[in-house]
Amino acid sequence: MIKSLCMASSLLVFSGIAFAQKAKTPKPITQSETEFIDGLMARMTIEEKIGQLTLYTSGWDVTGPSLNPTSTEELREGRVGGLFNAHGVAYVRGLQDIAVKETRLGIPLLFGYDVIHGHQTIFPTPLGEASSWDLDLIQESARLSAIEAAASGLNWTFNPMVDIARDPRWGRVMEGSGEDTYLGSKIGVAKVIGYQGDNLADPLTLLACVKHFAAYGAPLAGRDYGTVDMSERTLREYYLPPYKAAIDAGAATVMTSFNEVDGVPATGSSWLLTDILRNEWGFKGFVVTDYTAINEILAFGVVPDLKAAGELALKSGVDMDMEGSVFNRFTKQSLEEGKVTEAEIDQAVRRILEAKWKAGLFANPYLYLDEKREKMHVRSQVMKDHALNAGKRSIVLLKNEAVNDIPLLPISKSVKTIAVIGPVGDNQLDVMGSWHASGIEADVVTVLAGIRKAVPNALVTYTQGCGFEGDDTSGFAAARTAASKADIVIMALGENYVQSGEAASRTDIRLPGQQEALVSAIMATGKPVIALIAAGRPLDLSALDEQVPAIVNTWQLGTMHGVAVADVLFGDYNPSAKITMTFPRNVGQIPLFYNTKNVGRPIDLDQKYTSKYIDAPNTPLYPFGYGLSYTTFAYSDLTVSQPAMAMADTISVSVTVTNTGKMAGEEVVQLYVKDMVGSVTRPVRELKGFDKIMLAPGESKTVTFRLSANDLAFYNQNMDFKAEPGEFEVFIGGDSNASLSGGFELK
């Protein structure tokens, strides 16, 4: 028996549950995976099989982590396959003890958690880190997140989120990589590799979970959980590729999305979960729902009751029910009524057992439970060092005008007095951002602390000025007084951590509360002002852009936020990040994204009946790919290797990039392609390559990209994915408005 492999010593009582303190290392299983799982399934009752398809949450109360009595009872009956929100070696060991020692078959549990941008050490929010355009850095963040989380007893993360998002009103843009399919696919792959490594049975790795399948990032009106309505061509060309890329990279699990696609709830869509995911793409892992997503099928009005919702989900390709308990409550009855088959149940069970095998849990249910490893990795200096590196590489310099003929940034360390003003200034909680997991607030370095450490001889004062919400301006007077006494003012502004993220859609994406008014009040003092924006989404910064000479989009950087910000402010690090979502001028432009289509009446400011607004430009405030540096870069000598290429060939596009400033810096060199004529309309340009390079002052480098016919392919009128012969234009530069261009013909 499996349970005989797991021997325990003394027990302790925690939150009313008897937990094992230590367990002997079990003997390794020598049978093959198939033989073992076949034998195990032959011994399972239907209740035990359905139990493997059930995932419950663990809660937290004043005494620490806990599991509700109903879930504990089902766990002891062998009717739970995994738990999430349970972490910490001692606590997880106790729960695994119940599964292994007290159930009939002793099948170990999976332990999952939302490890989105760190576990207890928090890294930059994903949209912020995507701005680094540094795939090695992003992969390393995932690897270190996995190490810290796995050392806490976890073996599964609900990440990466690879949803393409073009609407910053949607709060969960902070959890993804932005608006571009090509970049989003690359980042999804980097994260899967980082979390999973090359051996899922390594106790310092996590099973990755690609989410949310599919098109969750495109809700109408930017409202979370909202309807998604798009053509199959748009779905396949722009929204599906990042999921497929992550799956091709070996992602072990996939999570369904809350939305509907083509009139069918995604959690009950056999077209998505079986036809595309498994039959087209060959996905072999298991599919888990999002939180109570099966239950929510009922609200869509496509099934009469929860039992039918469970039947639809299972038959469509769902393997595990997160928290909703629909499978545990109804699937046995559905089987008895002939609404589902045992073969369908067995297929789902097998996929989950295979994942547990691959994670090493059958060989050793306690593989991830080592107190020494936990102490070694959790909140270690290695984690904090990486949080700092990732933080400063994610900061985007949006504006840096001259004051007295000198760019305001970087600030000289000889500055005498600095006033830090704003609700982010001395804030440890909100700079961790949404989904900050078990981040330790006390570990966070604030903006104020980071600045004081960077310039210990300066007088650095702080006043909040206003909060993130409400109409209270009573702090303005103190803020004006502080500003008037300072040589330079740093406005620490943004969102709090619940103003972006899940269920945090906003119709007004300007700075919340009275922050814009606070900026105006401080600008009236005549002091030089730098605005730091710590937010989870692109904000409408038009009001600031009109007034403030320097704007730094810091995002929410996590544990080392203040140190990373200070490194950039005082020139210890030259900012190199570029935004991966377009910043609009106002909410009326949304959705706004760079790879839009041509129209029959393109903008002509001299003609009324053309495609434009009458109260604002068509252009964004800051375009996709945009970000400044403390140095400057010049692009020249764009060369296309040949005037034409055959379908089976590749073509090279090269450019020379020169650092024309006085400081060493990094530049994200971006390649865009435009298909001049297609059988269906094509975008005005599409990102097809990028390279981040470091250049010393005066140094030049040649950057070369290679394009194949596959890079030029799209879904034609027959929905075949292929390239078409014709003319192509290429653009290379520092953002999506790159003007240096060349061309070639595909034959």
Side-chain angles (χ1 to χ4, degrees):
M1 293 178 63
I2 301 168
K3 64 190 301 180
S4 67
L5 297 174
C6 309
M7 306 298 292
S9 60
S10 60
L11 299 179
L12 60 90
V13 176
F14 195 94
S15 295
I17 302 174
F19 286 173
Q21 264 186 320
K22 295 182 179 179
K24 295 180 180 178
T25 302
K27 296 179 181 179
I29 296 170
T30 57
Q31 293 171 279
S32 73
E33 176 183 354
T34 301
E35 290 174 332
F36 179 81
I37 292 174
D38 284 346
L40 178 58
M41 290 183 63
R43 299 173 54 227
M44 295 174 73
T45 66
I46 192 64
E47 291 85 359
E48 289 167 335
K49 288 179 178 179
I50 294 169
Q52 287 300 303
L53 314 186
T54 298
L55 179 68
Y56 286 142
T57 184
S58 170
W60 294 79
D61 58 30
V62 294
T63 61
S66 63
L67 194 63
N68 71 60
T70 300
S71 298
T72 303
E73 180 182 349
E74 291 184 16
L75 174 56
R76 287 195 164 98
E77 293 170 353
R79 298 177 57 208
V80 179
L83 294 169
F84 66 107
N85 293 343
H87 59 87
V89 168
Y91 180 54
V92 172
R93 184 183 296 279
L95 293 168
Q96 194 72 292
D97 274 343
I98 296 174
V100 170
K101 300 187 178 80
E102 299 185 35
T103 65
R104 189 176 74 90
L105 294 176
I107 300 173
L109 297 165
L110 279 173
F111 289 92
Y113 196 49
D114 284 297
V115 183
I116 307 301
H117 53 112
H119 176 51
Q120 291 198 1
T121 308
I122 304 303
F123 303 147
T125 53
L127 183 62
E129 192 172 61
S131 300
S132 72
W133 295 63
D134 188 329
L135 298 178
D136 291 338
L137 177 83
I138 292 167
Q139 181 173 319
E140 183 70 356
S141 289
R143 186 184 75 86
L144 291 173
S145 295
I147 288 173
E148 190 176 44
S152 294
L154 296 163
N155 38 55
W156 185 20
T157 177
F158 305 125
N159 207 39
M161 189 187 97
V162 297
D163 302 315
I164 296 302
R166 295 170 164 179
D167 190 333
R169 292 174 298 180
W170 187 52
R172 294 192 83 167
V173 300
M174 56 72 54
E175 201 176 338
S177 301
E179 69 190 48
D180 185 67
T181 303
Y182 178 86
L183 179 61
S185 297
K186 296 288 188 182
I187 289 175
V189 169
K191 290 189 175 185
V192 169
I193 294 171
Y195 287 128
Q196 296 192 166
D198 56 10
N199 177 16
L200 288 173
D202 182 334
L204 291 177
T205 63
L206 300 175
L207 303 177
C209 185
V210 178
K211 66 182 188 184
H212 306 84
F213 195 66
Y216 183 48
L220 294 179
R223 191 172 63 248
D224 209 356
Y225 319 120
T227 298
V228 170
D229 190 13
M230 65 178 64
S231 68
E232 183 179 352
R233 177 174 288 106
T234 296
L235 177 69
R236 286 186 175 273
E237 194 157 321
Y238 300 106
Y239 288 87
L240 291 186
Y243 305 108
K244 185 176 188 301
I247 288 161
D248 288 346
T253 68
V254 168
M255 182 182 290
T256 66
S257 57
F258 286 123
N259 55 281
E260 65 169 71
V261 176
D262 196 25
V264 179
T267 303
S269 173
S270 60
W271 180 62
L272 286 175
L273 302 180
T274 297
D275 296 348
I276 294 177
L277 182 62
R278 296 201 183 276
N279 296 342
E280 286 188 30
W281 297 354
F283 176 61
K284 303 299 183 185
F286 77 81
V287 173
V288 62
T289 73
D290 208 333
Y291 196 101
T292 67
I294 296 178
N295 310 65
E296 293 163 32
I297 292 176
L298 189 60
F300 283 95
V302 297
V303 292
D305 52 40
L306 281 180
K307 184 170 75 68
E311 293 160 2
L312 178 62
L314 182 67
K315 296 181 79 69
S316 296
V318 168
D319 300 308
M320 183 175 273
D321 171 13
M322 181 189 286
E323 187 60 18
S325 197
V326 176
F327 287 166
N328 256 356
R329 291 172 60 192
F330 299 111
T331 299
K332 183 180 179 182
Q333 180 184 346
S334 297
L335 176 65
E336 292 168 348
E337 294 174 352
K339 301 293 180 60
V340 301
T341 67
E342 189 159 4
E344 289 167 336
I345 296 170
D346 284 352
Q347 180 175 252
V349 174
R350 179 175 294 277
R351 291 167 180 159
I352 291 163
L353 295 179
E354 286 173 349
K356 293 181 179 183
W357 175 282
K358 290 179 172 64
L361 292 173
F362 282 119
N364 180 1
Y366 301 95
L367 180 64
Y368 296 78
L369 305 177
D370 184 313
E371 288 84 355
K372 291 182 180 179
R373 197 161 58 219
E374 185 175 32
K375 291 178 181 178
M376 178 185 301
H377 294 296
V378 175
R379 300 167 67 190
S380 70
Q381 191 60 46
V382 170
M383 301 295 164
K384 291 179 180 178
D385 289 346
H386 180 77
L388 172 57
N389 187 43
K392 61 190 180 184
R393 296 181 68 79
S394 301
I395 294 172
V396 186
L397 179 61
L398 295 176
K399 185 178 181 182
N400 191 21
E401 290 185 347
V403 175
N404 298 324
D405 299 322
I406 301 174
L408 196 50
L409 289 167
I411 304 168
S412 169
K413 288 189 178 181
S414 63
V415 63
K416 300 298 184 184
T417 58
I418 299 173
V420 177
I421 298 171
V424 178
D426 196 23
N427 187 317
Q428 292 179 295
L429 176 61
D430 294 306
V431 296
M432 290 193 287
S434 182
W435 292 114
H436 56 249
S438 291
I440 307 300
E441 185 178 347
D443 288 353
V444 174
V445 181
T446 67
V447 171
L448 181 63
I451 290 172
R452 284 176 170 165
K453 182 179 179 181
V455 284
N457 296 322
L459 174 63
V460 182
T461 64
Y462 171 70
T463 182
Q464 180 173 308
C466 68
F468 294 105
E469 298 174 298
D471 299 324
D472 185 6
T473 59
S474 61
F476 281 24
R480 284 193 297 266
T481 298
S484 66
K485 296 178 180 179
D487 297 324
I488 196 164
V489 180
I490 297 173
M491 303 289 296
L493 312 166
E495 298 178 309
N496 65 30
Y497 83 93
V498 296
Q499 287 173 326
S500 60
E502 185 170 359
S505 299
R506 294 176 57 197
T507 62
D508 182 349
I509 57 169
R510 294 176 298 174
L511 284 166
Q514 295 300 308
Q515 293 180 86
E516 283 190 2
L518 177 63
V519 171
S520 296
I522 300 306
M523 290 300 300
T525 67
K527 295 291 184 172
V529 173
I530 298 163
L532 307 177
I533 311 300
R537 54 158 58 83
L539 295 178
D540 170 0
L541 300 178
S542 297
L544 265 68
D545 189 69
E546 291 176 1
Q547 301 180 73
V548 180
I551 303 175
V552 183
N553 203 78
T554 69
W555 308 107
Q556 293 156 325
L557 301 177
T559 302
M560 301 301 289
H561 182 97
V563 183
V565 168
D567 278 356
V568 168
L569 288 178
F570 296 100
D572 293 314
Y573 178 77
N574 186 355
S576 63
K578 308 264 190 175
I579 56 175
T580 62
M581 279 193 77
T582 301
F583 277 52
R585 295 180 185 275
N586 59 63
V587 74
Q589 292 182 305
I590 296 170
L592 184 65
F593 47 95
Y594 85 93
N595 52 344
T596 187
K597 300 285 193 73
N598 284 312
V599 297
R601 292 188 177 188
I603 184 172
D604 184 341
L605 296 178
D606 296 324
Q607 298 293 326
K608 176 178 177 60
Y609 297 104
T610 60
S611 182
K612 61 181 180 296
Y613 299 104
I614 63 172
D615 60 349
N618 285 8
T619 57
L621 184 64
Y622 306 116
F624 174 87
Y626 172 85
L628 302 175
S629 169
Y630 292 154
T631 190
T632 52
F633 300 96
Y635 288 76
S636 62
D637 301 325
L638 188 151
T639 304
V640 181
S641 60
Q642 57 205 58
M645 65 177 283
M647 288 287 181
D649 293 341
T650 60
I651 199 167
S652 297
V653 184
S654 300
V655 71
T656 299
V657 185
T658 303
N659 183 341
T660 54
K662 299 179 180 180
M663 181 183 290
E666 293 171 284
E667 172 73 339
V668 180
V669 183
Q670 302 161 45
L671 168 70
Y672 295 87
V673 175
K674 179 180 181 180
D675 189 341
M676 304 302 291
V677 177
S679 60
V680 296
T681 57
R682 305 303 304 134
V684 294
R685 58 182 63 184
E686 296 177 282
L687 181 70
K688 292 296 181 181
F690 62 90
D691 191 9
K692 192 166 188 175
I693 60 172
M694 170 64 81
L695 293 172
E699 183 183 6
S700 296
K701 284 186 180 178
T702 298
V703 178
T704 300
F705 301 98
R706 299 193 67 82
L707 293 170
S708 69
N710 190 65
D711 295 315
L712 309 174
F714 60 93
Y715 286 91
N716 63 20
Q717 288 191 14
N718 297 322
M719 289 302 293
D720 295 321
F721 186 75
K722 59 176 61 176
E724 295 179 345
E727 299 290 331
F728 291 82
E729 190 170 7
V730 294
F731 306 86
I732 299 182
D735 60 51
S736 56
N737 286 338
S739 58
L740 192 62
S741 65
F744 65 91
E745 182 182 4
L746 178 64
K747 293 186 174 181

